Amino acid sequence: MMRLPKFDYRTPRTIAEAAKVMADVGPDAQFVAGGTDLYPNMKRRQMTPRTVISVMRLAELNRVEGDGKSGLTIGASVLLADICEHPIILRDYPVIAQAARTISTPILRNMGTIGGNLLLDTRCNYYDQNYEWRKAINFCLKKDGDVCWVAPGSSKCWAVQSSDLVPVMVAIGAKFRLVSTLSERMIDAAAFYNDDGIDYLQKRPDELLVDILLPPTNGWRASYQKLRRRGAFDFPVLGVAAWVSLDRAGTVSDARLVLGAIAPSPVQVKEAEATLIGQQFDEEHIQAAAEACYNKARPLDNTDFVMNWRKQMTREYTLRALHELS
Ligand SMILES: Cc1cc2nc3c(=O)[nH]c(=O)nc-3n(C[C@H](O)[C@H](O)[C@H](O)COP(=O)(O)OP(=O)(O)OC[C@H]3O[C@@H](n4cnc5c(N)ncnc54)[C@H](O)[C@@H]3O)c2cc1C
Ligand code: SF4
């Protein structure tokens, strides 16, 4: 049985207190929400913070405010289970509930939060293993080793961004609010993820994710389609988020297509968007967009399923997402 290492557990009640504890303890501290990603990582000795600071008692991180007209603010500690059932999210941003419902299992959705999901560690078959397994292959670049077993000549880690909500947030144009003792800032979801499996976030370790701001809906529609082995629960090995805005004549005035779970960061396919924008939202242009997504997808051999088949599925899942919107 894998055991957690020893650590101090802190439960601040305000954002200011949480930021101060983090600043005082320094790099040995890490925030935790539901712990469904952090605690397994600690058991595998991939992350070993000496102090763990819970964000679950920070009232500001537990609220949902606004609606599709004004824009919606979702606190980082809102549970995935609540995201799935929230009446405003279901009415105005159903794509978020649609994606959240596919995350892990009901039990884990009762623990896991939206913030933890957006900050999920990148995943790889050579990394998501216990300490002894990783030691037997002399570890890898991402933690304790000096070679990447997926691309041995590479100086970069290709571990995969595997959150279901990340491609959706990029597609709908969400923003994240980050707070520390040093600063408060907003960052676009589209600019938040680095194409690097080790340094995967544009976030300093001391920054607390406070909330997620969704833009007003203004008539746009969005869909998320997920490929995984088991329908009951599994991480995505491909996720396609599609977002379109149509004018009255049925012409696409704007579009975003974002692929998840095929690279260290979500991949926005501008070529596919260009095939849709300014055109009728019809089968010919949907097929062209799906082809562009297929051409752009470069999955690697470090998750479930054969990579060439995952590439083929990019076309199919883009079609599914766009057909749902048409
Ligand atoms: C069996 C299993 C199946 C899973 N399946 C899926 C799946 O299908 N799809 C999917 O997307 N995920 C999946 N997950 C991953 C995980 O359960 C979810 O992503 C969940 O939403 C993580 O949220 P959490 O609150 O538990 O995160 P935590 O584990 O608490 O935190 C995750 C990371 O975010 C940091 N963090 C958390 N909150 C904050 C904050 N407010 N500010 C700053 N840093 C913060 C933590 O330090 C940590 O690095 C699965 C996990 C398991 C164990
Ligand atoms: S992609 Fe390479 S360096 Fe990154 S976790 Fe996998 S094996 Fe390790």
Side-chain angles (χ1 to χ4, degrees), residues 122-128 137 139-143 147-151 156-160 197-198 300 302:
T122 51
R123 296 180 60 81
C124 172
N125 287 344
Y126 295 91
Y127 173 73
D128 293 297
I137 61 162
F139 303 102
C140 77
L141 265 186
K142 184 159 160 73
K143 175 75 179 148
V147 69
C148 170
W149 296 110
V150 175
K156 171 181 158 180
C157 166
W158 297 88
V160 177
I198 297 171
L300 282 171
N302 58 352

Side-chain angles (χ1 to χ4, degrees), residues 170-173 215 241-244 254-258 268-269 273 276-277:
V170 175
I172 69 179
W243 174 96
V244 292
D254 206 354
R256 284 195 282 272
L257 279 156
V258 183
Q268 187 169 353
V269 189
E273 296 165 5
L276 293 172
I277 295 170

